[in-house]
Amino acid sequence: MDNSRHIAIIGGGFIGLEMAENLHKLGINITLIEAQNQVMPPVDFDMAQLLHQNMNVNDVELILSDAVKAFEKKENGISITLASGKKVSVDIVILSIGVKPNSELARAAGIQLNERGGIKVNSRLQTSAPSVWAVGDVIEVTNLVTNN
């Protein structure tokens, strides 16, 4: 990344913020683009404002409430077109947009899912189907704070 002068990070979750912080420390100009109205969606909106202020103080360009519509390879880098019509020109794009676990196979097999599509498991990670266990991002986990 020696020649990179400007990097866009798409996604303001934990990984996106970590990438922004570490690349910024290397002296690279960062634009972080988040489709939601705040970074770190799991945290309270007011708490996220502290992160927004920190990014502003550290000259990280933060674009909120604007999703990526298109990428176009240009002779001198990449042009990103946002839903608003705004264009951002960068050298590198890092996608940190998260994933939605695919539980369709479990659904088709009749395995019990929660309202968000996560596979319900017990403390041993066993599903509602005998002899079937599940792990990873697709399972429902117990919140250590609320125990739910």
Side-chain angles (χ1 to χ4, degrees):
M1 289 195 223
D2 301 344
N3 299 336
S4 301
R5 296 169 307 281
H6 192 175
I7 294 178
I9 299 171
I10 314 300
F14 181 75
I15 300 297
L17 293 182
E18 282 289 313
M19 294 298 298
E21 178 183 23
N22 287 294
L23 291 169
H24 181 265
K25 285 181 182 178
L26 294 175
I28 297 170
N29 293 323
I30 303 295
T31 298
L32 193 137
I33 302 167
E34 170 56 52
Q36 302 297 316
N37 66 345
Q38 71 177 62
V39 297
M40 294 295 290
V43 303
D44 181 80
F45 182 78
D46 292 333
M47 294 297 290
Q49 300 312 304
L50 297 172
L51 296 169
H52 298 169
Q53 290 172 6
N54 182 274
M55 294 173 82
N56 187 34
V57 166
N58 286 292
D59 295 322
V60 172
E61 181 183 13
L62 180 60
I63 299 173
L64 297 171
S65 301
D66 208 355
V68 173
K69 184 176 178 183
F71 297 103
E72 184 179 355
K73 176 74 174 127
K74 297 286 190 172
E75 190 174 304
N76 59 344
I78 301 163
S79 177
I80 304 168
T81 303
L82 302 178
S84 66
K86 178 178 178 150
K87 293 192 183 271
V88 179
S89 296
V90 296
D91 300 306
I92 293 176
V93 174
I94 297 174
L95 297 177
S96 176
I97 54 177
V99 295
K100 181 179 179 189
N102 185 345
S103 58
E104 290 306 311
L105 179 61
R107 183 183 311 280
I111 293 173
Q112 190 177 15
L113 306 178
N114 66 17
E115 59 278 350
R116 295 180 66 200
I119 298 172
K120 289 189 170 195
V121 295
N122 65 19
S123 62
R124 297 181 58 230
L125 304 179
Q126 187 175 18
T127 69
S128 61
S131 303
V132 178
W133 286 259
V135 297
D137 291 339
V138 75
I139 67 169
E140 175 182 75
V141 296
T142 301
N143 183 311
L144 296 174
V145 175
T146 64
N147 204 30
N148 292 328

